[in-house]
Amino acid sequence: MIAKVNNDLKHPDRPNYPDRDLLVAATRLSKLIIRAQLCELLHLPAFARESLLGSSAGRDAVGALKHAGLTLAEDGSVTRGGMAATEC
């Protein structure tokens, strides 16, 4: 999801420009992932990463996805109402 949104932004000639809700969700999710990676790189205890999910960053990422009605699959694809989010 994040890579696709980034590529769509870098190439404005593409037919599917990500909408505002998708941009907000990708941004908030990216911040959460970066912080989680830092936990790994700094060899912090597992509870540090787990507490991150309950933090404001975790709630913001989940809230942005829910607000937009977006569902993120394990393969990184995003759907909104059964339709690929970039087709909405």
Side-chain angles (χ1 to χ4, degrees):
M1 168 192 143
I2 296 168
K4 177 149 182 29
V5 168
N6 183 53
N7 284 331
D8 287 346
L9 289 172
K10 288 190 321 184
H11 304 284
D13 57 324
R14 290 186 176 189
N16 295 322
Y17 191 78
D19 67 17
R20 179 188 174 280
D21 290 335
L22 189 56
L23 287 172
V24 169
T27 301
R28 292 182 179 173
L29 187 58
S30 295
K31 288 179 184 179
L32 182 64
I33 290 169
I34 289 167
R35 290 174 181 165
Q37 284 183 316
L38 283 174
C39 290
E40 290 292 317
L41 292 172
L42 297 173
H43 305 289
L44 297 178
F47 74 84
R49 188 178 57 247
E50 292 167 8
S51 68
L52 179 62
L53 297 176
S55 71
S56 62
R59 289 189 305 272
D60 286 348
V62 171
L65 290 165
K66 284 183 178 180
H67 173 76
L70 299 169
T71 302
L72 180 61
E74 286 185 30
D75 67 359
S77 62
V78 180
T79 57
R80 179 184 288 145
M83 177 186 267
T86 55
E87 298 172 4
C88 299

